Amino acid sequence: MAKILVGMSGGVDSSVAAKLLVDRGHEVAGVTLKLFSGEDVILPEDATRTCCSLTDVQDARAVAWKLGIEHYVFNFRDLFEEKVMGRFIDSYLAGETPNPCIDCNRFIKFDKLIERAVLLGYDYVATGHYARIRSGGTGGRLLLERGKDGSKDQSYVLYPLSQYQLAHTLFPLGELDKTEVRRVAVEAGLVNARKPDSQDICFVPDGDYAAFLERRVPDRIRDGDFVDSGGKKIGRHKGVTRYTIGQRRGIAVSFGKPMYVIGKNARDNTVALGGNDELLSSSLTARDVNLISVERLEGPMRVTAKIRYNQSEQAAVVSPLGDGRVRVDFDEPQRAVAPGQAVVFFSGETVVGGGTIENR
């Protein structure tokens, strides 16, 4: 029997993860993380659309009571402000398109939470992610694999996990699909059995990233020039943070033909526009690479790769560049490769690793 601390967001997935572990006879406690002041950013109508909402602590506590386990709340607001919200703002201001959920996993859920759990005497942290961990990798390495339910698989956002973190993590839902999870919750009478899945970024529940940034750093958002791929000025934009690679809507300038955002230069405060063909890239480079299935890349490796969460995997070759960087060459050109997003590499069901896209 293991002693397990379950991260309970208030949603159905983490609640069922806790129930499954209780049913298996483990010593289980739940914890909900206080990551920001929800009343400052979440409107009442958004209360069920995002994690960390006003009702989530109550829902998690109600489930813990139903399961007969202890429930705690850990306040990680300062760390979340620095490592997630702060990095999100800095990345946008640098002309990138960040993924704060990955930073939350990297710095909060599988770093600080595991550290706190181990200090309190727990063997594992468990979450409601749809992914699997198994042993048997080269040199005894633990492997991260896709969840059984391909439509819910979350291995893409878990690529930063270290071997130490994998050794102290459980994903009880990895072998289940969402329909089964809902059924378990309904049969157990959990209060959140039919609660909608969270959507959007937790601290930007309406999805309006530009408005969030303008509230937080109003003096850093400035109008600038639209330019073509040759650098010629062709119009005016309302701030680089309002645009992302591949965007067409919201440009508010008529060119007589479809035009897309093909690049951003925060230093010059310009946004480059071009045709759809100018969005295609055959390669990219990535920084801050974390490898899971192998200790290091000894040379080019054939993989499949994803450049965004909801994309299907694409055949590619990943090659080491040194200093935590890699180059990825795709068999077929990819559309709208966005610096700041993650590129994640797979070998079959297994996550090889991933990193942050820096250039295309």
Side-chain angles (χ1 to χ4, degrees):
M1 182 177 71
K3 189 174 181 181
I4 304 168
L5 186 64
V6 182
M8 298 181 69
S9 67
V12 66
D13 293 331
S14 57
S15 297
V16 170
K19 173 176 170 46
L20 294 175
L21 294 171
V22 169
D23 290 349
R24 294 169 191 168
H26 297 294
E27 182 181 344
V28 177
V31 61
T32 303
L33 305 183
K34 184 68 173 177
L35 300 179
F36 58 88
S37 183
E39 58 270 20
D40 292 338
V41 298
I42 296 177
L43 302 174
E45 59 267 28
D46 295 318
T48 61
R49 296 180 64 245
T50 176
C51 64
C52 306
S53 72
L54 298 175
T55 61
D56 285 332
V57 173
Q58 291 95 323
D59 287 347
R61 184 173 289 127
V63 171
W65 181 85
K66 180 78 172 179
L67 298 178
I69 63 175
E70 295 288 340
H71 177 261
Y72 307 101
V73 176
F74 291 170
N75 188 345
F76 289 161
R77 286 174 58 179
D78 290 346
L79 188 65
F80 188 82
E81 172 72 32
E82 175 191 356
K83 295 294 189 180
V84 181
M85 296 175 71
R87 285 169 62 92
F88 175 86
I89 293 169
D90 290 344
S91 183
Y92 255 112
L93 292 175
E96 297 185 333
T97 304
N99 189 325
C101 297
I102 290 176
D103 278 344
C104 187
N105 287 336
R106 176 187 284 128
F107 298 111
I108 309 292
K109 295 176 182 175
F110 299 100
D111 185 13
K112 190 64 175 180
L113 182 57
I114 288 178
E115 176 187 300
R116 180 75 63 85
V118 171
L119 285 173
L120 293 174
Y122 289 90
D123 302 304
Y124 299 99
V125 161
T127 71
H129 286 94
Y130 289 80
R132 294 177 284 187
I133 300 170
R134 72 173 180 86
S135 58
T138 303
R141 297 181 72 81
L142 291 171
L143 302 176
L144 174 66
E145 296 188 338
R146 283 190 289 252
K148 177 183 176 182
D149 185 345
S151 67
K152 297 296 293 182
D153 169 51
Q154 292 171 296
S155 57
Y156 173 87
V157 297
L158 297 170
Y159 82 83
L161 270 66
S162 69
Q163 288 292 302
Y164 175 82
Q165 291 164 346
L166 289 168
H168 289 276
T169 298
L170 298 174
F171 296 132
L173 307 188
E175 298 291 343
L176 303 180
D177 61 36
K178 186 71 178 195
T179 301
E180 293 175 283
V181 170
R182 290 282 185 191
R183 177 182 56 76
V184 170
V186 169
E187 290 178 355
L190 302 186
V191 66
N192 53 9
R194 293 183 173 85
K195 186 175 182 178
D197 290 343
S198 60
Q199 303 172 30
D200 300 317
I201 295 172
C202 61
F203 55 89
V204 193
D206 61 359
D208 192 342
Y209 311 141
F212 169 80
L213 292 163
E214 287 166 4
R215 289 194 299 270
R216 295 297 296 262
V217 286
D219 57 325
R220 303 286 300 279
I221 313 299
R222 298 178 290 112
D223 291 359
D225 292 320
F226 282 127
V227 298
D228 62 19
S229 54
K232 179 183 176 181
K233 296 179 183 180
I234 55 176
R236 295 287 288 176
H237 69 70
K238 297 184 179 298
V240 295
T241 56
R242 287 186 171 273
Y243 309 92
T244 191
I245 305 299
Q247 180 177 333
R248 178 182 175 186
R249 298 181 61 184
I251 293 176
V253 179
S254 177
F255 296 97
K257 62 178 182 179
M259 294 286 276
Y260 302 85
V261 176
I262 62 172
K264 300 193 293 181
N265 187 323
R267 182 181 57 193
D268 297 337
N269 195 31
T270 59
V271 175
L273 303 179
N276 189 57
D277 59 324
E278 295 179 89
L279 284 170
L280 298 177
S281 305
S282 295
S283 65
L284 62 82
T285 61
R287 64 178 186 266
D288 300 328
V289 171
N290 180 62
L291 297 173
I292 296 178
S293 67
V294 295
E295 184 175 355
R296 65 178 64 87
L297 290 174
E298 302 292 353
M301 180 180 184
R302 171 62 66 173
V303 296
T304 56
K306 295 175 65 169
I307 58 170
R308 57 184 63 90
Y309 178 79
N310 59 359
Q311 181 200 34
S312 59
E313 294 165 35
Q314 305 295 311
V317 173
V318 58
S319 304
L321 296 176
D323 195 27
R325 298 171 62 249
V326 298
R327 175 186 173 97
V328 182
D329 292 286
F330 293 96
D331 289 11
E332 300 290 338
Q334 301 300 300
R335 185 181 185 278
V337 176
Q341 287 286 293
V343 57
V344 180
F345 331 120
F346 296 82
S347 177
E349 295 292 303
T350 302
V351 176
V352 175
T356 302
I357 298 169
E358 59 178 7
N359 286 305
R360 63 186 184 99

